[in-house]
Amino acid sequence: MKLVLLSGGSGKRLWPLSNDARSKQFLKVLENENREMVSMVQRVWGQINENGLGDSSYIATSQAQIEMMQTQISPEVPLIIEPDRRDTFAAISLAATYLYSHAGVGLDEAVAILPVDPYVESHFFEAVKQLEDVLNRSDAEIALIGVKPTYPSSKYGYIIPEKAASAAGIDMASKTDREYVAVSHFREKPTEEIAERLIADNAYWNCGVFAFKLGYVIELLASRGLPIQYEELSKQYQLLPKISFDYEVVEKAASIVVLPYEGCWKDLGTWNTLTEEMKNKQIGRGIISEDCMNTHLINEIDIPVSILGLSNIVVALSPDGILVTDKSASPRIKDFISSDQGPMYIERQWGWIRVLDDRTYEDGRCVSTKRVGIQSGKNLSYRLHSAREEVWTIVKGSGEFIQNGNFMRVGAGNVLHIPMKMLHSIRALTELEIIVVQSGMAEERNQVVEIYHTWDEVSEHCIKV
């Protein structure tokens, strides 16, 4: 069986730490058994490897998340790249064509789909492994995992089993491993009152994990006249509807079964659920007074924060902004975020970028000031800016700098002027930090042209002898 983890999202529900460049699954706010801070995707990928599923797993993600995935997991992590964000129907369809035309997966082989960021115990993946057997024994088109609810929640979708099983008084969670039941229908985010009635009828939380035979989706695409080759579907990706796989396929399937699961499962998509699993109530500079109960501070900037006498709140700070919210109100943040501001903090394979100031003046000139960190031994690509000049002030560390083929050693205190359309690169000999001031005319669209990416290529082709 092949596993495909879906990594999408625009990063709105955990603002200001998450943004379009650093979605929630990349936030390092969870602590592992070694007391190291890890992200949701690092935690899940570790669990997948612990359960022997790493060699058969892929991650479907967008172009914008490639570097983050490679940085946090591995440069060799198997990725299926979406040309655009078009919801889960398009993402799963593209993944199916990749497995079919690139990975040599047979039409009769099972494919399991998982979110990239669930908070589960390791044995959850034992249930995932059972989905292939459930498909084979049930002959169903779709097999789901249903989590036994621990309380009537209005935040989750529900899987309702067929009445026959419920009327028989069968407690699905008491069934032995590998047993399943037919699905009657679904109910998306009901009120808590309705959720209580659903739970009484043995309904389950829909945790977004399901499986199908690869041929099921390939035949579906072919019946709609869509390409079943990965490259061709990528070219026509914008023609696929923006709709979830649940609405477009699962709820229309003729036969669906659910495998019950009883154990820890959480969607850490909001500040109130995420902080429930954070071992530290404070990350970053600040003070929380002793009379604050169930209060969390996550501070990514250098300004100290003091919280006095306030309970059940989250205070989160990043270069993107500041959030102060009651935990119960935190899911509403996505309705208040401005779409005008781009990401102010970006992690890259070679380091990070923090935007300090970005403005346009009355004469049309735009100036962006950034603090850039480059890890020891890493380098920027050999590049040029088509319509921006830059001034670099090195504030920490030492490195090797190349500009138009001219090589020089640089260190803290050096100031470098890089005219527009001038090829340049730098490699950090020690951990390097640079203040970059980039300027040009706002009306002139800037393009970054990259020639070489590795320092070996730069050294071979670009240093004048």
Side-chain angles (χ1 to χ4, degrees):
M1 183 174 67
K2 304 300 181 186
L3 273 65
V4 177
L5 281 73
L6 300 182
S7 177
S10 58
K12 290 183 177 180
R13 292 191 295 168
L14 291 178
W15 185 91
L17 267 65
S18 62
N19 54 42
D20 282 339
R22 185 177 59 155
S23 296
K24 65 175 182 177
Q25 60 265 32
F26 300 116
L27 302 179
K28 293 184 179 181
V29 293
L30 302 174
E31 190 176 290
N32 65 14
E33 61 277 6
N34 299 320
R35 302 186 65 83
E36 299 168 330
M37 301 306 292
V38 296
S39 66
M40 301 178 203
V41 68
Q42 287 174 318
R43 185 177 187 274
V44 167
W45 192 257
Q47 290 175 317
I48 284 174
N49 282 309
E50 288 170 8
N51 284 273
L53 297 169
D55 291 340
S56 58
S57 297
Y58 302 79
I59 299 179
T61 190
S62 65
Q63 192 77 30
Q65 293 185 0
I66 293 176
E67 280 200 63
M68 290 289 287
M69 282 294 180
Q70 293 175 335
T71 299
Q72 292 204 356
I73 300 178
S74 164
E76 287 76 41
V77 60
L79 301 178
I80 302 172
I81 308 303
E82 303 169 58
D84 189 17
R85 284 179 176 162
R86 300 197 70 78
D87 216 320
T88 56
F89 171 71
I92 293 170
S93 298
L94 188 69
T97 63
Y98 182 92
L99 295 176
Y100 173 67
S101 63
H102 268 243
V105 178
L107 295 176
D108 287 332
E109 292 189 56
V111 178
I113 306 295
L114 294 81
V116 78
D117 52 6
Y119 189 86
V120 293
E121 297 164 339
S122 186
H123 72 264
F124 178 83
F125 293 93
E126 291 300 322
V128 174
K129 290 179 185 179
Q130 294 169 26
L131 288 174
E132 181 176 18
D133 181 64
V134 168
L135 280 175
N136 290 331
R137 290 191 298 118
S138 68
D139 204 30
E141 293 174 331
I142 303 283
L144 310 168
I145 289 180
V147 176
K148 184 180 181 182
T150 54
Y151 64 97
S153 172
S154 61
K155 297 183 296 183
Y156 303 136
Y158 287 75
I159 303 167
I160 294 89
E162 285 189 348
K163 287 290 184 182
S166 181
I170 298 173
D171 180 2
M172 303 304 170
S174 68
K175 295 169 89 56
T176 59
D177 286 350
R178 304 166 67 87
E179 291 200 74
Y180 58 87
V181 64
V183 172
S184 170
H185 61 284
F186 301 88
R187 184 65 185 265
E188 185 65 21
K189 297 181 180 179
T191 64
E192 290 186 8
E193 182 180 355
I194 293 174
E196 285 186 5
R197 296 203 296 268
L198 294 175
I199 293 172
D201 286 335
N202 286 321
Y204 289 87
W205 283 337
N206 188 347
C207 62
V209 176
F210 53 88
F212 50 80
K213 295 292 182 69
L214 179 59
Y216 176 70
V217 172
I218 294 298
E219 291 169 12
L220 175 67
L221 294 174
S223 69
R224 298 186 180 190
L226 293 167
I228 59 174
Q229 302 294 321
Y230 173 71
E231 289 83 359
E232 291 303 313
L233 188 61
S234 293
K235 293 176 184 176
Q236 300 184 36
Y237 201 66
Q238 71 280 1
L239 301 179
L240 293 173
K242 281 190 174 183
I243 191 172
S244 74
F245 192 84
D246 292 67
Y247 288 148
E248 186 69 4
V249 178
V250 175
E251 295 189 7
K252 298 176 183 178
S255 59
I256 312 170
V257 295
V258 58
L259 178 68
Y261 171 79
E262 185 170 11
C264 174
W265 173 85
K266 282 188 178 182
D267 175 8
L268 303 187
T270 59
W271 280 114
N272 53 339
T273 56
L274 177 60
T275 52
E276 288 175 358
E277 302 303 330
M278 289 175 56
K279 295 183 179 179
N280 301 309
K281 66 178 182 180
Q282 178 178 329
I283 299 175
R285 295 183 67 187
I287 296 172
I288 302 176
S289 65
E290 292 183 358
D291 57 344
C292 296
M293 307 300 295
N294 192 29
T295 290
H296 283 77
L297 168 64
I298 303 95
N299 186 0
E300 289 193 331
I301 62 178
D302 293 330
I303 299 173
V305 175
S306 298
I307 306 175
L308 310 176
L310 295 175
S311 297
N312 302 310
I313 69 164
V314 175
V315 179
L317 303 89
S318 85
D320 280 23
I322 299 172
L323 171 69
V324 181
T325 178
D326 181 272
K327 288 190 175 183
S328 63
S330 64
R332 294 164 48 202
I333 182 59
K334 63 182 181 179
D335 300 324
F336 293 88
I337 300 172
S338 169
S339 59
D340 298 334
Q341 177 180 288
M344 304 294 281
Y345 179 80
I346 303 170
E347 288 186 25
R348 307 295 298 270
Q349 278 186 283
W350 42 260
W352 48 266
I353 301 169
R354 177 168 292 174
V355 178
L356 304 177
D357 187 67
D358 191 5
R359 63 187 64 204
T360 300
Y361 295 93
E362 292 180 357
D363 61 359
R365 191 167 186 81
C366 60
V367 179
S368 180
T369 305
K370 308 171 186 178
R371 192 178 189 98
V372 177
I374 306 174
Q375 299 170 13
S376 178
K378 299 294 182 70
N379 64 276
L380 304 184
S381 61
Y382 196 53
R383 62 179 65 184
L384 64 80
H385 292 271
S386 65
R388 299 289 185 270
E389 64 176 347
E390 294 185 327
V391 176
W392 293 5
T393 302
I394 298 176
V395 296
K396 177 184 177 181
S398 61
E400 297 173 323
F401 177 71
I402 296 177
Q403 181 168 285
N404 234 28
N406 296 306
F407 172 88
M408 63 184 293
R409 291 287 183 94
V410 294
N414 287 140
V415 178
L416 308 169
H417 177 231
I418 304 169
M420 64 181 64
K421 299 181 181 178
M422 182 73 74
L423 286 164
H424 61 281
S425 181
I426 192 168
R427 179 168 79 109
L429 297 175
T430 65
E431 188 174 330
L432 198 63
E433 290 190 17
I434 307 169
I435 302 297
V436 175
V437 179
Q438 187 182 84
S439 60
M441 299 306 295
E443 63 185 18
E444 297 177 10
R445 183 172 175 268
N446 185 51
Q447 289 185 314
V448 180
V449 180
E450 298 179 302
I451 308 298
Y452 302 113
H453 289 86
T454 70
W455 195 253
D456 287 341
E457 291 174 318
V458 174
S459 299
E460 180 181 355
H461 298 289
C462 307
I463 299 177
K464 293 179 179 178
V465 180

